[in-house]
């Protein structure tokens, strides 16, 4: 959930002189007047419940009562809430939703009137009103959930697991004996599931939960089915592998519509045929060969895509090989409230429970959610850039850099040989600092997906090891790579650099001014990680919006809260 603080809401209310409330609304914010009377009260209560449902079915959000749309001045827009008590709102939303939504409500008193902030958490289940109304927040609107949009939502909330469904018209004759043999080989190779060894075919399928008598599940067909059964019953199961020599032109393509275990073997053959090796010398006598295409990384990524994709959707999984990266995309957004901003730290959330369980039992998938960690760490230890996730409601895309930076790869290998192996977070910080000048506690927290205190401790620890240099003191400390790494050169920044977004930057600027009384451009750069041009643009926008005022000139220039 993206919960806004009362301070953040107050800053937005200042913008109501010149901007209507609806212009400030977003995926996470909605304004309502909340001042209905007489016969309109019941309609207002229903609208509030439906807004809460819409936020809960998306990423959570903030419903602000006491502000009217379409007004050009703050005094006209803030109409205040007079007749609604906090406990009444909480009870009405709780009693009027299924499953129940528990909201947090905060009262904010403004000169123009009383405003209520209703904070709605995201739900890992599909939520409706008790009248059966299902809605979802999309951009600035609450859209109805009907028809084709409802099935993937049910799956993403764990209400339906497509892979556990019995496949109509198929029975155990659709299972390929060759794939059962492949399955047994994986069980032996992974050295797990010892209780599965020695079982007959029927008992093995039952132990994995893939069959009910002669009836078979979608998971059984995905893992072990004959190709004809897959094409006939699950045509959406397809992995398209393409190699691109130019951004929009491929010179190799394979459309794999095979059972999942065979698909992995086919992808392995393609990777082996296209891999390039970089040789680095470490400590004068050790030689390491680093593949640009790491099979461990690609296997984890492909497994994640196949296991977590949305089988209610008809699209294919795509694996695209470029000269400097691999891109892997699968249909279906992240499950629950997982996002690119928390995917490293979020508890595991599964869409296709039966399929994931079966793969976990044979050792291919770790249910503890360590696959993403493994992808990041193996990529960085190979001297490559940071992996990057992108997602919307329909797709998850993973970009894996494949270019090996020999200086960074050599450093990582030397640390390992000397017994001073760095942890994943350390590697992320150092690799990120190859594309940006500095990191501070805030930008490092965004990068590592941890809180600011943990990020600050990690930066300080690397400084104590002599790997980072520090400028400034206290919360304003900014860290850069140690001078011994100057030979690595500077890499052009990319989208994975972890710079905080504009909304967060505004909040940090205003918090810092409140704490210190003023702020300079150099301090703005420190706390946001922005470059000079971005900083100038940010502060110009904040001045134009009436949030800050510029005082002084040249070296004495600084910003204060606008009066």
């Amino acid at each position: 959930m993206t919960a806004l603080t009362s301070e953040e809401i107050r800053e937005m209310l200042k913008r109501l002189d010149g901007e209507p409330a609806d212009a400030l609304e977003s995926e996470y914010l909605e304004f309502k007047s909340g001042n209905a009377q007489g016969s309109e009260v019941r309609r207002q209560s229903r609208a509030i419940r439906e807004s809460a449902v819409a936020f809960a079915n998306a990423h959570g959000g903030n419903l602000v009562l006491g502000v009217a749309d379409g007004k050009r001045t703050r005094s006209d827009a803030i109409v205040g809430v007079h007749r609604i008590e906090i406990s009444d709102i909480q009870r009405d939303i709780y009693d009027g939703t299924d499953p129940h939504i528990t909201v947090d409500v905060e009262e904010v008193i403004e000169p123009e009137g009383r405003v209520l902030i209703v904070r709605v958490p995201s739900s890992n289940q599909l939520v409706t009103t008790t009248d059966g109304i299902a809605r979802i927040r999309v951009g600035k609107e609450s859209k109805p959930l009907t028809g084709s949009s409802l099935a993937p939502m049910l799956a993403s909330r764990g209400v339906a697991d497509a892979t556990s469904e019995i496949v109509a018209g198929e029975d155990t004759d659709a299972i390929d004996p060759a794939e059962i043999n492949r399955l047994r080989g994986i069980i032996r190779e992974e050295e797990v599931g010892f209780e599965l060894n020695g079982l007959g075919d029927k008992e093995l399928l039952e132990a994995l939960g893939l069959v009910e008598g002669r009836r078979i599940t979608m998971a059984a067909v995905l893992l072990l089915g004959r190709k004809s059964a897959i094409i006939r019953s699950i045509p959406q199961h397809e992995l398209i592998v393409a190699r691109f020599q130019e951004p929009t032109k491929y010179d190799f393509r394979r459309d794999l519509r095979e059972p999942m275990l065979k698909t992995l073997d086919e992808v392995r053959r393609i990777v082996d045929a296209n891999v390039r090796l970089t040789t680095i010398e470490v400590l004068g006598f050790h030689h390491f060969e680093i593949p640009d295409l790491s099979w461990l990384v690609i296997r984890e990524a492909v497994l994640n895509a196949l296991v977590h994709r949305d089988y209610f959707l008809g699209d294919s999984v795509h694996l695209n090989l470029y000269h400097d990266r691999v891109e892997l995309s699968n249909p279906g957004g992240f499950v629950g409230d997982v996002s690119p901003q928390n995917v490293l730290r979020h508890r595991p959330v599964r869409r296709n429970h039966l399929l994931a369980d079966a793969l976990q039992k044979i050792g291919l998938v770790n249910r503890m959610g360590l696959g993403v960690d493994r992808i990041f760490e193996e990529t960085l230890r190979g001297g490559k850039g940071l992996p990057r996730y992108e997602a919307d409601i329909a797709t998850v895309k993973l970009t894996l850099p494949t270019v090996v930076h020999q200086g960074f790869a050599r450093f990582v290998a030397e640390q390992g040989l000397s017994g001073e192996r760095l942890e994943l977070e350390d590697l992320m910080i150092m690799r990120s600092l190859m594309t940006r000048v500095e990191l501070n506690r805030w930008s490092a927290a965004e990068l590592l997906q941890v809180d600011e205190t943990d990020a600050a401790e990690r930066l300080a620890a690397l400084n104590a090891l002599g790997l980072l240099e520090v400028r400034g003191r206290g919360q304003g400390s900014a860290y850069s790579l140690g001078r011994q790494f100057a030979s690595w050169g500077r890499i052009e920044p990319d989208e994975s650099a972890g710079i905080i977004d504009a909304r967060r930057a505004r909040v940090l600027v205003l918090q810092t001014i409140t704490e210190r009384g003023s702020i300079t451009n150099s301090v703005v750069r420190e706390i946001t990680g922005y470059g000079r041009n971005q900083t100038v643009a940010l502060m110009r926008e904040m001045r134009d919006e009436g949030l800050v005022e510029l005082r002084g000139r040249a070296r004495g220039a600084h910003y204060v809260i606008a009066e």
Side-chain angles (χ1 to χ4, degrees), residues 375-451:
I375 288 170
F376 271 69
E377 185 161 352
E378 182 71 13
T379 300
L380 291 168
R381 291 200 185 281
K384 301 155 195 169
L386 286 158
R388 182 173 71 252
Y389 277 97
E390 302 168 75
D392 55 31
I393 196 170
T395 309
V396 172
K397 176 182 172 183
L398 171 63
T399 300
L400 298 166
T402 56
V403 177
V404 177
H405 187 284
Q406 294 195 32
F408 186 66
R410 184 178 298 110
F411 163 75
V412 174
E414 288 174 350
Q415 290 292 118
L417 290 173
S418 66
E420 298 176 353
R421 183 182 173 92
L422 296 177
E423 296 181 3
L424 170 60
E425 291 78 8
D426 303 322
L427 298 173
M428 292 176 68
I429 287 172
M430 296 198 67
R431 190 59 178 79
S432 179
L433 283 170
M434 295 172 64
T435 64
R436 56 191 304 165
V437 176
E438 294 176 331
L439 280 172
N440 55 42
R441 61 191 297 131
W442 295 286
S443 51
E446 296 272 344
L447 170 70
L448 302 178
Q449 300 179 12
V450 298
D451 64 37

Side-chain angles (χ1 to χ4, degrees), residues 25 28-32 47-49 51-52 55 61-65 89 93 104 116-120:
E25 292 183 335
Y28 307 104
L29 177 64
E30 180 178 3
F31 293 101
K32 286 186 180 298
I48 290 173
R49 288 195 297 271
S51 292
F55 280 129
N62 310 268
L63 176 61
V64 179
L65 303 178
I89 295 176
I93 292 176
D104 171 67
L116 297 179
I117 305 170
V118 182
R119 299 186 180 93
V120 184

Side-chain angles (χ1 to χ4, degrees), residues 40 52 157 170 183 185 214 244 367 369 397:
E40 294 297 313
R157 293 302 192 267
E170 303 288 356
L183 173 67
R214 283 188 54 79
F244 288 79
R367 279 197 302 179
K397 176 182 172 183

Side-chain angles (χ1 to χ4, degrees), residues 271-305:
V271 167
D272 289 346
N274 287 277
V275 71
R276 295 168 297 181
L277 299 175
T278 298
T279 302
I280 61 170
E281 182 180 290
V282 180
L283 301 176
F285 53 91
H286 290 281
H287 290 81
F288 290 88
E289 288 189 334
I290 301 176
D292 62 339
L293 303 175
S294 164
W295 172 239
L296 188 152
V297 170
I298 291 179
R299 187 189 81 156
E300 291 293 328
V302 170
L303 273 171
N304 281 348

Side-chain angles (χ1 to χ4, degrees), residues 536-553:
V536 170
L538 171 68
M539 299 312 295
R540 182 186 300 118
E541 290 174 2
M542 294 184 69
R543 286 175 61 192
D544 292 344
E545 293 167 8
L547 299 177
V548 298
E549 292 180 1
L550 177 63
R551 301 278 178 83
R553 294 184 177 182

